[in-house]
Amino acid sequence: MKEKKGINLRCIKKALGFIFKYNKYYLFANTAMIITQGLLPATFIIIMQKIINSLQKGVHEFDEIMFLLIIYIILNIANTTITLSYSYYKNRFMRKFSKHMNLIMLKRATELSLKQYEDVETYNIINRAQGQSGVDLIVYISNISEVIKQIITISSTVVILVNFRWWIVGLVLIIPIIRYLLTVFIDRKWYRLRVSRTAEERKSWYINFLIMTGRAFKEIRVLGIAQYLIAKYAKISEEIITQDLKMEKYNIFLQ
């Protein structure tokens, strides 16, 4: 367990390091979004609570109600605008960062020795690196950010509920805790699955490469192995699809 936690922390540290070196402002913008969106739900609850209290007091509180409604509307508009702007910024950054990471991988590949290229594990590592691009790093950090945002939201909401009805806190926390445990469980299964089938994915890619590029056209015709390669590719692809669909069933519980 400690070893797994250590691996996860190293992965987070490396991912953050790559992003920070490329553009540190993205991390600052991401942190600002986490805090803002994490606190907004509690802010909306407080405003609505004040509006309801003012309505219960009667018509003498009309000005206060209108003021609170205006603040509520402004915050909603501001939140929507900021979210859309950040979404565009994130997608733009994601594409440029993906290009940056691909260039790093190409550079590292040119620095490998012939002995390393003769090692099968080297190809497995390259295959995994190609499958986990810069986009995946951003998605990985975004998932962590989402967890932190939920923690902020739950914590701020709990503070409000404690002052209102303390026993509701338990009901509010049950679903997020279960969701978190399921997310960790599914992510680990996905990771193990992808690592375990790296060699098979590389085989399917190589078969596709041989047939589609025409690099081995003569050899395939002379040896008469076209149908064999196609059957092999179909078998591997079917196994991968079956595994993916099996994993997708777990995601139903997170919807």
Side-chain angles (χ1 to χ4, degrees), residues 9 13 18 25 51 60 67 103 110 137 143 145-146 148 166 171-172 174 187 211 221 230 236 241 247:
L9 289 174
K13 187 176 179 180
F18 279 121
Y25 296 110
I51 291 173
H60 300 292
F67 175 72
L103 290 173
T110 60
L137 282 180
N143 290 338
S145 300
E146 183 64 25
I148 296 172
W166 66 267
L171 297 176
V172 172
I174 288 174
D187 285 347
I211 296 175
R221 281 296 181 87
I230 292 172
I236 295 172
I241 290 171
M247 288 302 303

Side-chain angles (χ1 to χ4, degrees), residues 144-160:
I144 295 171
S145 300
E146 183 64 25
V147 171
I148 296 172
K149 187 188 83 174
Q150 291 298 328
I151 290 172
I152 294 173
T153 300
I154 292 169
S155 300
S156 56
T157 305
V158 164
V159 171
I160 297 171

